[in-house]
Coordinates of all heavy atoms in Angstrom, one line a residue:
M1 N 86.8 82.2 86.8 CA 88.2 82.6 86.9 C 88.7 82.2 88.3 O 88.1 82.4 89.3 CB 88.3 84.2 86.8 CG 89.6 84.7 86.9 SD 89.6 86.4 86.4 CE 91.0 87.0 87.3
Q2 N 90.0 81.7 88.2 CA 90.6 81.3 89.4 C 91.0 82.4 90.3 O 91.5 83.4 89.8 CB 91.8 80.4 89.1 CG 92.4 79.7 90.3 CD 93.4 78.6 89.8 OE1 93.6 78.5 88.6 NE2 94.0 77.9 90.8
Q3 N 90.9 82.2 91.6 CA 91.4 83.2 92.6 C 92.9 83.4 92.5 O 93.6 82.5 92.4 CB 90.9 82.8 94.0 CG 89.4 82.8 94.2 CD 88.8 84.2 94.1 OE1 89.4 85.2 94.6 NE2 87.8 84.3 93.3
P4 N 93.4 84.7 92.6 CA 94.8 84.9 92.6 C 95.5 84.4 93.9 O 94.9 84.4 95.0 CB 94.9 86.3 92.4 CG 93.7 87.0 93.0 CD 92.7 85.9 92.7
I5 N 96.8 84.2 93.8 CA 97.6 84.0 95.0 C 98.1 85.4 95.3 O 98.7 86.1 94.4 CB 98.8 83.0 94.6 CG1 98.3 81.7 94.2 CG2 99.7 82.9 95.9 CD1 97.5 80.9 95.2
V6 N 97.9 85.8 96.5 CA 98.3 87.2 96.9 C 99.4 87.2 97.9 O 99.4 86.4 98.9 CB 97.0 87.9 97.5 CG1 97.3 89.3 97.9 CG2 95.8 87.8 96.6
A7 N 100.4 88.1 97.8 CA 101.4 88.3 98.8 C 101.7 89.7 98.9 O 101.7 90.5 97.9 CB 102.7 87.5 98.3
G8 N 102.0 90.2 100.1 CA 102.4 91.6 100.3 C 103.9 91.7 100.3 O 104.6 90.8 100.8
V9 N 104.4 92.7 99.7 CA 105.9 93.0 99.6 C 106.2 94.3 100.1 O 105.6 95.3 99.8 CB 106.3 92.9 98.1 CG1 107.8 93.1 98.0 CG2 105.9 91.5 97.5
D10 N 107.2 94.4 101.1 CA 107.6 95.7 101.6 C 109.1 95.9 101.5 O 109.6 96.9 102.1 CB 107.1 95.8 103.0 CG 107.7 94.8 104.0 OD1 108.6 94.1 103.5 OD2 107.3 94.8 105.1
G11 N 109.8 95.1 100.8 CA 111.2 95.3 100.6 C 112.1 94.5 101.5 O 113.3 94.4 101.3
T12 N 111.5 93.9 102.6 CA 112.3 93.1 103.6 C 112.6 91.8 103.0 O 111.9 91.3 102.0 CB 111.5 93.0 104.9 OG1 110.3 92.2 104.6 CG2 111.2 94.3 105.5
S13 N 113.6 91.2 103.5 CA 114.0 89.8 102.9 C 112.9 88.8 103.2 O 112.6 88.0 102.3 CB 115.3 89.4 103.6 OG 115.2 89.3 105.0
D14 N 112.2 88.9 104.3 CA 111.1 88.0 104.6 C 109.9 88.2 103.5 O 109.4 87.1 103.1 CB 110.5 88.2 105.9 CG 111.4 87.6 107.1 OD1 112.3 86.8 106.7 OD2 111.2 88.0 108.2
S15 N 109.6 89.4 103.1 CA 108.6 89.6 102.2 C 109.0 89.1 100.8 O 108.2 88.7 100.0 CB 108.1 91.1 102.1 OG 109.1 91.9 101.5
L16 N 110.3 89.2 100.5 CA 110.7 88.7 99.2 C 110.7 87.2 99.1 O 110.4 86.6 98.1 CB 112.2 89.2 98.9 CG 112.2 90.8 98.8 CD1 113.7 91.2 98.6 CD2 111.3 91.3 97.7
I17 N 110.9 86.6 100.3 CA 110.8 85.1 100.4 C 109.3 84.8 100.2 O 109.0 83.8 99.5 CB 111.4 84.6 101.7 CG1 112.9 84.8 101.8 CG2 110.9 83.2 101.9 CD1 113.5 84.5 103.1
A18 N 108.4 85.5 100.8 CA 107.0 85.2 100.6 C 106.6 85.4 99.2 O 105.8 84.6 98.6 CB 106.2 86.2 101.5
A19 N 107.1 86.5 98.5 CA 106.7 86.7 97.1 C 107.2 85.5 96.3 O 106.5 85.1 95.3 CB 107.3 88.0 96.6
G20 N 108.4 85.0 96.6 CA 108.9 83.8 95.8 C 108.0 82.6 96.0 O 107.8 81.9 95.1
W21 N 107.6 82.4 97.2 CA 106.7 81.3 97.6 C 105.4 81.4 96.8 O 105.0 80.5 96.2 CB 106.5 81.2 99.1 CG 105.5 80.1 99.4 CD1 105.7 78.8 99.6 CD2 104.1 80.3 99.5 NE1 104.6 78.1 99.8 CE2 103.5 79.1 99.8 CE3 103.2 81.4 99.4 CZ2 102.1 78.9 100.0 CZ3 101.9 81.2 99.6 CH2 101.4 80.0 99.9
A22 N 104.9 82.7 96.9 CA 103.6 82.9 96.2 C 103.7 82.7 94.7 O 102.8 82.1 94.0 CB 103.1 84.3 96.5
A23 N 104.8 83.1 94.1 CA 105.0 82.9 92.7 C 105.1 81.4 92.3 O 104.5 81.0 91.3 CB 106.3 83.6 92.2
G24 N 105.8 80.6 93.2 CA 105.8 79.2 93.0 C 104.4 78.6 93.0 O 104.1 77.7 92.3
E25 N 103.6 79.0 94.0 CA 102.3 78.4 94.2 C 101.4 78.8 93.0 O 100.7 78.0 92.5 CB 101.7 78.9 95.5 CG 102.2 78.2 96.7 CD 101.9 76.8 96.7 OE1 100.8 76.4 96.8 OE2 102.9 76.0 96.7
A26 N 101.5 80.1 92.6 CA 100.8 80.5 91.5 C 101.1 79.7 90.2 O 100.2 79.2 89.4 CB 101.0 82.0 91.2
R27 N 102.4 79.4 90.0 CA 102.9 78.7 88.8 C 102.3 77.2 89.0 O 101.8 76.6 88.0 CB 104.4 78.7 88.8 CG 104.9 78.0 87.6 CD 106.4 78.0 87.4 NE 107.0 79.3 87.6 CZ 107.7 79.6 88.7 NH1 108.1 78.8 89.6 NH2 108.2 80.9 88.8
R28 N 102.5 76.7 90.1 CA 102.0 75.3 90.4 C 100.6 75.1 90.1 O 100.1 74.1 89.5 CB 102.4 74.8 91.8 CG 102.1 73.4 92.1 CD 102.5 73.1 93.6 NE 101.7 73.7 94.6 CZ 100.5 73.2 95.0 NH1 100.0 72.1 94.5 NH2 99.8 73.8 95.9
L29 N 99.8 76.0 90.6 CA 98.3 76.0 90.5 C 97.7 76.5 89.2 O 96.5 76.4 89.0 CB 97.6 76.7 91.7 CG 97.9 76.1 93.0 CD1 97.4 77.0 94.1 CD2 97.4 74.7 93.2
G30 N 98.6 77.2 88.4 CA 98.1 77.9 87.2 C 97.2 79.1 87.5 O 96.3 79.4 86.8
A31 N 97.5 79.7 88.7 CA 96.6 80.8 89.1 C 97.3 82.1 88.9 O 98.6 82.2 88.8 CB 96.4 80.7 90.6
P32 N 96.6 83.2 88.8 CA 97.2 84.5 88.7 C 98.0 84.9 90.0 O 97.7 84.4 91.1 CB 96.1 85.5 88.5 CG 94.9 84.7 88.3 CD 95.2 83.3 88.8
L33 N 99.0 85.8 89.9 CA 99.8 86.2 91.0 C 99.5 87.6 91.2 O 99.6 88.5 90.3 CB 101.3 85.9 90.8 CG 102.2 86.5 91.8 CD1 102.0 85.8 93.2 CD2 103.7 86.3 91.3
L34 N 99.2 88.0 92.4 CA 99.0 89.4 92.8 C 99.9 89.8 93.9 O 99.8 89.3 95.0 CB 97.5 89.6 93.2 CG 97.1 91.1 93.6 CD1 97.3 92.0 92.4 CD2 95.7 91.1 94.1
L35 N 100.8 90.7 93.6 CA 101.8 91.2 94.6 C 101.3 92.6 95.0 O 101.1 93.5 94.2 CB 103.2 91.3 94.1 CG 103.8 89.9 93.7 CD1 105.2 90.1 93.1 CD2 103.9 89.0 94.9
L36 N 101.2 92.8 96.3 CA 100.8 94.1 96.9 C 101.9 94.8 97.5 O 102.7 94.2 98.3 CB 99.6 94.0 97.8 CG 98.4 93.3 97.3 CD1 97.3 93.0 98.4 CD2 97.7 94.1 96.2
H37 N 102.0 96.1 97.3 CA 103.1 96.9 98.0 C 102.4 98.1 98.7 O 101.7 98.8 98.1 CB 104.1 97.3 97.0 CG 105.3 98.1 97.7 ND1 105.2 99.5 97.8 CD2 106.3 97.7 98.3 CE1 106.3 99.9 98.4 NE2 107.0 98.8 98.8
G38 N 102.7 98.2 100.0 CA 102.1 99.4 100.7 C 103.2 100.4 101.0 O 104.4 100.1 101.0
Y39 N 102.8 101.6 101.2 CA 103.8 102.7 101.4 C 103.2 103.6 102.5 O 102.1 104.1 102.4 CB 104.0 103.5 100.1 CG 104.9 104.7 100.3 CD1 106.2 104.6 100.6 CD2 104.3 106.0 100.4 CE1 107.0 105.7 100.7 CE2 105.1 107.1 100.5 CZ 106.5 107.0 100.7 OH 107.2 108.1 100.9
V40 N 104.0 103.9 103.5 CA 103.6 104.8 104.6 C 104.4 106.1 104.4 O 105.7 106.0 104.5 CB 103.8 104.2 106.0 CG1 103.5 105.2 107.0 CG2 103.0 103.0 106.1
P41 N 103.9 107.2 104.1 CA 104.7 108.4 103.9 C 105.4 108.8 105.2 O 104.9 108.5 106.3 CB 103.6 109.5 103.6 CG 102.4 108.7 103.3 CD 102.5 107.4 103.9
P42 N 106.6 109.4 105.0 CA 107.4 109.8 106.2 C 106.6 110.9 107.0 O 105.7 111.6 106.5 CB 108.6 110.4 105.6 CG 108.4 110.5 104.1 CD 107.3 109.7 103.8
V43 N 106.9 111.0 108.3 CA 106.3 112.0 109.2 C 106.6 113.4 108.6 O 107.6 113.6 108.1 CB 106.9 111.9 110.6 CG1 106.4 113.0 111.4 CG2 106.6 110.5 111.2
G44 N 105.5 114.2 108.5 CA 105.7 115.5 108.0 C 105.4 115.6 106.5 O 105.3 116.7 106.0
Y45 N 105.1 114.5 105.8 CA 104.8 114.5 104.4 C 103.5 115.2 104.2 O 102.4 114.9 104.9 CB 104.7 113.1 103.9 CG 104.3 113.0 102.4 CD1 105.1 113.2 101.4 CD2 102.9 112.6 102.2 CE1 104.7 113.0 100.1 CE2 102.5 112.5 100.9 CZ 103.4 112.7 99.9 OH 103.0 112.6 98.6
R46 N 103.4 116.1 103.2 CA 102.2 116.8 102.9 C 101.9 116.5 101.4 O 102.8 116.7 100.6 CB 102.2 118.2 103.2 CG 102.2 118.6 104.6 CD 102.0 120.0 104.9 NE 102.7 120.9 103.8 CZ 102.3 122.1 103.5 NH1 101.2 122.6 104.1 NH2 102.9 122.7 102.5
R47 N 100.7 116.1 101.1 CA 100.3 116.0 99.7 C 100.1 117.3 99.1 O 99.4 118.2 99.6 CB 99.1 115.1 99.5 CG 98.7 114.9 98.1 CD 97.5 114.0 98.1 NE 97.1 113.8 96.7 CZ 96.1 113.1 96.3 NH1 95.4 112.4 97.1 NH2 95.9 112.9 95.0
C48 N 100.7 117.5 98.0 CA 100.6 118.8 97.2 C 99.4 118.7 96.3 O 99.2 117.8 95.6 CB 101.8 119.1 96.4 SG 103.3 119.4 97.3
T49 N 98.5 119.7 96.4 CA 97.3 119.8 95.6 C 97.4 120.9 94.6 O 98.0 122.0 94.9 CB 96.0 120.0 96.4 OG1 96.2 121.1 97.2 CG2 95.8 118.7 97.4
P50 N 97.0 120.7 93.4 CA 97.1 121.7 92.3 C 96.2 122.9 92.8 O 95.2 122.8 93.3 CB 96.6 121.1 91.1 CG 96.4 119.6 91.4 CD 96.5 119.4 92.8
S51 N 96.7 124.1 92.4 CA 96.0 125.3 92.7 C 94.9 125.5 91.7 O 94.9 125.2 90.6 CB 96.8 126.5 92.7 OG 97.9 126.3 93.6

């Protein structure tokens, strides 16, 4: 299996350009495309756990 082309996306215009480039490379190479998105919770965020 061919290795995927990987790009990180965070919503900025630069990351969207990178995602477009990665998509073109994946298409050109016939490789899978993997887009990763990270999220940093805001300060004070608490995860709710079921009781």
Side-chain angles (χ1 to χ4, degrees):
M1 182 169 152
Q2 189 169 2
Q3 293 295 315
I5 303 297
V6 181
V9 181
D10 63 6
T12 61
S13 59
D14 286 341
S15 75
L16 297 177
I17 291 168
W21 174 86
E25 286 297 294
R27 185 180 310 116
R28 183 178 72 81
L29 298 171
L33 174 64
L34 179 61
L35 297 176
L36 301 175
H37 182 266
Y39 173 75
V40 176
V43 174
Y45 173 83
R46 291 186 329 149
R47 183 177 178 178
C48 296
T49 55
S51 301

